[in-house]
Amino acid sequence: MSLVTIDAQGRLQVPDQVEIPFIEGDGVGPEITAATQRVMGAALQKAYGDRRAIRWKEVLAGEKAFKQTGSWLPEETMEAFRTYKVGIKGPLTTPVGGGIRSLNVALRQQLDLFVCLRPVRWFQGVVSPVKEPQKVDMHIFRENTEDIYAGIEWQAGTPEAAKFLKFLTEEMGVTKIRFPESSSFGVKPVSREGSQRLVRCAIRYALERGLPSVTLVHKGNIMKFTEGGFKNWGYDVAETEFADRTFTTRQYDALKKEKGVEAADQARAQAISEGKVIIKDVIADAFLQNTLLIPEEYSVIATLNLNGDYISDQLAAMVGGIGIAPGANINYNTGHAIFEATHGTAPNIAGQGKVNPCSLLLSGVMMLEYLGWNEAAVLITEAMETSFRQGRATVDLARFMEGGVSLTTDQFADELCRIIRG
């Protein structure tokens, strides 16, 4: 067995027999992890026989790690992800009290996994609350290391909050704090480098997959230097680094002002005909409305951390729920990537065979695609859609399907394996 590496050109080098570390996860984690590994094994065997395989290497985090080692996130686990580059994890409990605010955030920040990639699509047979869920096909690039998730906060009533308030009022001349003495404070860092490396990856992703557009979603109308900076820096990277392969709304607006609407419309139409990626932007609240009204207008989404949290959950609900929403945390520069279930530990149903493994399983599909093993990835998604069309799913989905048959977690995994093997 060998490790994933990255060459001097930044290309991932994947051996046919590869070792992948995994975190089982807390709550329902053991159930969905076992199901995911079983289905992925069936797909690999069907697609490649014995030529390609994954050897799973368990590493510890969360409650299981704490019970065995006294640490919620052992250094051995971090070192494994650094060394092996690619891994996958189930949901983790966030420790109560002091220490790590979130294990998930800690993993992302320590490995600098600056892209949170959340593809959202509808599967036939899944009941959706929207009229035309088939129009939803988006790929969310959520910035993972900055914004409010950087965790720079001071609680009301503490000496630190008082010191920060004094700095704001006496040094910076801030007078707009409504109730200063009872306020908590948070700082929202958004950098040019952080913004541009995210947008750069989103544009490359769209170009590699022949996708039509990248939309910069922001609140730059209110937060002009952070969210507005994200928008402007995103346009900058498109117009400088991808000038021959993109056409931006900012360029359209400048052309309209200089030569008129007709010339601007012609330039955009020509860009589309040449296969260029259209780079546009939209205010976050308008975007959330538009995803319900005109979802077909959007393809790749690039946005900051908090906006991305809201957007990814709404889009997941539009196609059937977070139970079928995958996710990945990636550093495209170093090759490091951790694929994960996007839902929580659900301790109320743990061990009952009720949990839907599709979030982690589809994250496994993303991992296979990242490794370049697309044939196995397609087998899994096709098997899922076949099962859903037949009304056979775990209870969270089956209860809404006409004539739906509820399967346990293990039964659903068995069903997918059966379909894959033919």
Side-chain angles (χ1 to χ4, degrees):
M1 290 288 176
S2 301
L3 309 183
V4 174
T5 58
I6 194 165
D7 65 17
Q9 288 72 45
R11 295 172 301 199
L12 217 62
Q13 302 298 303
V14 182
D16 284 340
Q17 306 291 313
V18 65
E19 193 164 9
I20 300 291
F22 73 96
I23 297 171
E24 186 178 57
D26 300 323
V28 296
E31 296 167 83
I32 62 174
T33 295
T36 293
Q37 291 178 353
R38 189 144 50 91
V39 175
M40 290 179 69
L44 288 168
Q45 180 64 35
K46 178 69 173 181
Y48 310 117
D50 295 329
R51 182 166 62 88
R52 285 178 172 169
I54 292 174
R55 177 183 174 186
W56 297 105
K57 172 185 174 64
E58 184 175 9
V59 295
L60 300 177
E63 290 180 347
K64 189 173 184 179
F66 187 74
K67 290 177 181 178
Q68 293 188 24
T69 71
S71 171
W72 290 92
L73 185 57
E75 177 55 31
E76 292 83 0
T77 296
M78 292 303 308
E79 187 58 33
F81 284 124
R82 292 189 193 101
T83 301
Y84 289 83
K85 289 197 179 293
V86 177
I88 191 168
K89 57 175 283 296
L92 293 174
T93 299
T94 296
V96 177
I100 297 173
R101 288 166 50 118
S102 165
L103 295 173
N104 295 321
V105 172
L107 284 165
R108 296 166 192 169
Q109 291 184 343
Q110 290 189 41
L111 293 170
D112 196 24
L113 305 175
F114 62 88
V115 170
C116 179
L117 176 57
R118 298 273 184 94
V120 182
R121 55 154 290 190
W122 178 68
F123 287 89
Q124 292 183 41
V126 175
V127 176
S128 163
V130 299
K131 184 178 179 181
E132 297 179 297
Q134 72 278 6
K135 292 183 177 180
V136 180
D137 188 4
M138 300 186 210
H139 310 256
I140 305 157
F141 276 69
R142 171 189 174 193
E143 205 290 320
N144 229 0
T145 63
E146 298 189 317
D147 199 4
I148 64 169
Y149 278 70
I152 306 172
E153 287 189 295
W154 298 278
Q155 187 176 7
T158 63
E160 293 81 6
K163 185 176 182 179
F164 188 69
L165 174 62
K166 182 178 180 180
F167 170 75
L168 288 178
T169 55
E170 296 182 10
E171 299 292 328
M172 301 300 292
V174 174
T175 60
K176 297 180 181 179
I177 303 172
R178 180 72 66 184
F179 303 107
E181 300 304 325
S182 62
S183 292
S184 294
F185 299 97
V187 174
K188 174 189 176 80
V190 177
S191 69
R192 178 190 297 270
E193 292 87 349
S195 299
Q196 290 192 334
R197 68 179 183 174
L198 178 88
V199 175
R200 183 179 297 115
C201 290
I203 294 173
R204 287 175 178 163
Y205 184 93
L207 288 168
E208 289 168 0
R209 289 160 177 77
L211 300 172
S213 67
V214 174
T215 303
L216 311 173
V217 180
H218 61 92
K219 281 293 290 183
N221 56 328
I222 303 299
M223 292 170 278
K224 300 185 184 300
F225 305 126
T226 51
E227 302 263 344
F230 173 82
K231 178 195 75 170
N232 292 329
W233 293 326
Y235 276 136
D236 289 345
V237 77
E239 292 169 4
T240 55
E241 298 181 25
F242 301 93
D244 59 337
R245 291 180 286 174
T246 65
F247 182 80
T248 73
T249 295
R250 191 166 70 177
Q251 291 171 319
Y252 174 89
D253 291 340
L255 192 58
K256 183 172 69 172
K257 185 176 181 180
E258 180 185 356
K259 296 185 177 180
V261 173
E262 185 175 352
D265 285 345
Q266 288 177 350
R268 181 168 58 187
Q270 182 177 349
I272 293 172
S273 70
E274 293 173 353
K276 292 184 177 181
V277 174
I278 303 302
I279 312 296
K280 52 190 176 180
D281 76 276
V282 64
I283 302 298
D285 45 319
F287 176 78
L288 290 172
Q289 175 181 235
N290 290 348
T291 58
L292 293 169
L293 299 174
I294 48 171
E296 67 274 14
E297 292 292 316
Y298 302 106
S299 180
V300 178
I301 311 303
T303 191
L304 290 169
N305 212 319
L306 182 60
N307 294 332
D309 201 1
Y310 300 147
I311 289 166
S312 57
D313 280 7
Q314 175 178 299
L315 292 177
M318 289 168 62
V319 297
I322 201 167
I324 53 173
N329 302 286
I330 304 172
N331 184 320
Y332 284 98
N333 299 328
T334 66
H336 288 97
I338 298 179
F339 299 83
E340 64 179 356
T342 59
H343 55 73
T345 59
N348 58 310
I349 61 169
Q352 300 177 33
K354 295 180 179 179
V355 63
N356 182 349
C358 288
S359 176
L360 188 62
L361 182 54
L362 286 169
S363 298
V365 167
M366 292 177 68
M367 188 182 80
L368 292 172
E369 293 171 342
Y370 187 70
L371 297 175
W373 296 0
N374 296 309
E375 297 85 356
V378 169
L379 286 172
I380 296 172
T381 54
E382 288 181 346
M384 286 176 56
E385 196 149 43
T386 297
S387 186
F388 292 154
R389 283 199 305 264
Q390 296 171 355
R392 299 175 64 80
T394 48
V395 64
D396 59 313
L397 299 179
R399 59 183 171 167
F400 298 116
M401 297 171 172
E402 185 176 353
V405 177
S406 294
L407 304 176
T408 67
T409 308
D410 283 342
Q411 288 171 340
F412 181 65
D414 289 340
E415 182 85 355
L416 297 184
C417 290
R418 180 188 63 79
I419 295 170
I420 289 168
R421 290 169 182 145

